Amino acid sequence: MIEVSQLTRVFRTYKKVPGFWGGVKGLFHRTFEETAAAKDISFTIGEGEFVGFLGPNGAGKTTTLKMLSGLIYPTSGTARVAGFDPTKRENAYRRLFALVLGQKNQLWWDLPAIESFNLLRAIYAIPEAQFKATLDELVDLLTVREKLNVMVRELSLGERMKMELIAALLHRPRVLFLDEPTIGLDVVSQRAVRQFLRDYNRRHRVTILLTSHYMADIKELCERVIVIHKGRKIYDGALGRLENAGGAKKKIITFLPAASASGAFPETWQSRFGETKRADDGKFTLRVPGENVVAVSQEILSTGPVADITIEDVPLEDVIAELFSTQA
Ligand SMILES: Nc1ncnc2c1ncn2[C@@H]1O[C@H](COP(=O)(O)OP(=O)(O)OP(=O)(O)O)[C@@H](O)[C@H]1O
Ligand SMILES: [Mg+2]
């Protein structure tokens, strides 16, 4: 469904030299700085796949999604979505995909959402019956029926995001590019949007490429993730494999009773178990490979007084942060 080959986008930005004379100099001799927001990115995504697109701020995620949507042109490389070349901006392609930018509003601010939807119906020439059926389904799934006639500017952030999603889906696109659709939402709305996306993907087999800085989104929705860093693809594969990349580490957190919080024995743990972290409040965190968890916990419990102990997976955020830090 999506085929991307060595997609590259270089931004050329005018570099200002500080100070007055720098400004004067800049009038005659401009210096430019080139940033490769995307560099030789290649991947293919099959129909119906729900792929997470990860990377730190400035990695090139939005740039890539914009190239796939035909909003900006690649410097080199090619993209094909359902056989279309996005740079040609054909009408048939516009009907096939939707781009949702969580950071941007696409709805008319001073109109109730329903009016924006009616405008979109006219723009995409959606037949009345199909429009009604689609709108009904989306409004019910997202539980916003009673908000349809409220001015968009008066909606809560979560309600507005739901309306944005409806607007993007009215023409029944086959491919969805979702750029941080849950940004800034409270946990309840985040969960609602997630659940909606999962149901929608399954029900209609739409192909989805999703970026989010919330790992809960990625964990719940995507089996496969593509990770980019400084414009380059550094991982493409199963989310599970990425999570296990650090040797299936687990975190053992022990809480020492106040009396022994400053005692000596944790120092021996430090030397014995390697990766350890100690907080002032007596909280002691060890990171050990999954297969050693039981043995290490037993040893800790038998070594000294422990007020509490918990065993957790190392959060995906940490695994990914480590992946970035090992990249130059
Ligand atoms: N129009 C532009 N002109 C110049 N540089 C740009 C432009 N758009 C993006 N960039 C640069 O390209 C790089 C990638 O930006 P991009 O918005 O794709 O990152 P991102 O992965 O979406 O990050 P975030 O998680 O913060 O949204 C950044 O260094 C950014 O400053
Ligand atoms: Mg972005």
Side-chain angles (χ1 to χ4, degrees):
M1 197 63 157
I2 304 176
E3 266 177 75
V4 171
S5 174
Q6 298 190 298
L7 208 57
T8 300
R9 169 69 204 218
V10 177
F11 285 112
R12 206 163 172 236
T13 43
Y14 168 48
K15 199 176 153 196
K16 277 210 182 78
V17 181
F20 174 74
W21 288 112
V24 172
K25 219 172 120 194
L27 290 173
F28 303 101
H29 182 78
R30 301 210 148 194
T31 36
F32 290 94
E33 205 164 57
E34 294 203 328
T35 336
K39 189 126 187 54
D40 288 330
I41 292 181
S42 304
F43 56 80
T44 61
I45 294 176
E47 184 171 9
E49 267 197 89
F50 200 143
V51 178
F53 200 35
L54 303 180
N57 291 130
K61 304 177 297 292
T62 302
T63 302
T64 306
L65 294 185
K66 282 183 174 171
M67 286 193 280
L68 290 174
S69 309
L71 287 181
I72 58 173
Y73 292 98
T75 309
S76 61
T78 56
R80 282 265 178 289
V81 184
F84 289 96
D85 175 353
T87 61
K88 293 195 175 142
R89 303 183 178 203
E90 288 157 278
N91 268 332
Y93 182 53
R94 278 176 214 227
R95 295 172 165 279
L96 190 117
F97 82 98
L99 168 69
V100 176
L101 299 165
Q103 313 254 32
K104 257 200 189 141
N105 259 296
Q106 319 203 50
L107 293 171
W108 282 267
W109 202 241
D110 293 315
L111 292 179
I114 187 70
E115 307 248 349
S116 287
F117 299 159
N118 281 321
L119 283 168
L120 288 165
R121 179 176 69 84
I123 290 169
Y124 285 102
I126 306 165
E128 183 73 46
Q130 186 196 320
F131 173 77
K132 202 179 165 308
T134 310
L135 186 61
D136 271 346
E137 181 198 353
L138 295 170
V139 162
D140 287 340
L141 279 173
L142 288 164
T143 59
V144 283
R145 188 172 291 281
E146 70 278 22
K147 301 287 176 186
L148 281 173
N149 292 301
V150 176
M151 211 102 80
V152 167
R153 61 155 77 241
E154 286 164 10
L155 294 175
S156 76
L157 193 60
E159 290 160 355
R160 212 165 69 216
M161 201 55 233
K162 289 174 175 179
M163 296 300 187
E164 292 279 345
L165 282 167
I166 294 175
L169 295 171
L170 279 175
H171 64 291
R172 293 233 172 257
R174 301 298 308 147
V175 180
L176 276 182
F177 303 122
L178 304 176
D179 196 12
E180 305 189 44
T182 54
I183 190 159
L185 303 192
D186 67 276
V187 283
V188 177
S189 307
Q190 268 188 28
R191 200 176 298 152
V193 168
R194 270 204 299 268
Q195 199 163 355
F196 166 76
L197 291 174
R198 188 175 39 211
D199 289 350
Y200 194 82
N201 165 256
R202 288 189 185 158
R203 206 189 278 213
H204 298 288
R205 270 200 95 226
V206 287
T207 309
I208 305 181
L209 192 51
L210 164 83
T211 83
S212 176
H213 288 287
Y214 302 115
M215 288 309 127
D217 288 348
I218 305 294
K219 270 185 118 144
E220 269 186 47
L221 299 171
C222 311
E223 275 173 30
R224 173 182 166 197
V225 292
I226 295 172
V227 184
I228 58 168
H229 184 49
K230 296 186 181 164
R232 289 180 184 276
K233 189 176 92 171
I234 58 168
Y235 180 85
D236 182 353
L239 176 64
R241 193 158 58 84
L242 181 65
E243 284 182 287
N244 291 337
K249 289 245 177 71
K250 296 258 186 193
K251 268 205 308 206
I252 302 177
I253 303 170
T254 57
F255 297 90
L256 307 175
S260 56
S262 56
F265 70 89
E267 264 68 54
T268 67
W269 295 357
Q270 192 122 20
S271 56
R272 288 189 29 72
F273 304 126
E275 217 174 325
T276 52
K277 209 167 69 197
R278 180 177 188 170
D280 290 337
D281 57 358
K283 191 167 130 185
F284 205 82
T285 310
L286 297 106
R287 285 175 69 165
V288 298
E291 63 269 23
N292 296 352
V293 167
V294 173
V296 172
S297 320
Q298 277 172 344
E299 187 165 341
I300 288 171
L301 289 169
S302 63
T303 322
V306 171
D308 196 2
I309 184 163
T310 62
I311 297 167
E312 299 170 1
D313 289 325
V314 171
L316 185 58
E317 283 87 340
D318 291 10
V319 175
I320 291 174
E322 265 166 43
L323 187 68
F324 296 145
S325 68
T326 58
Q327 303 284 318

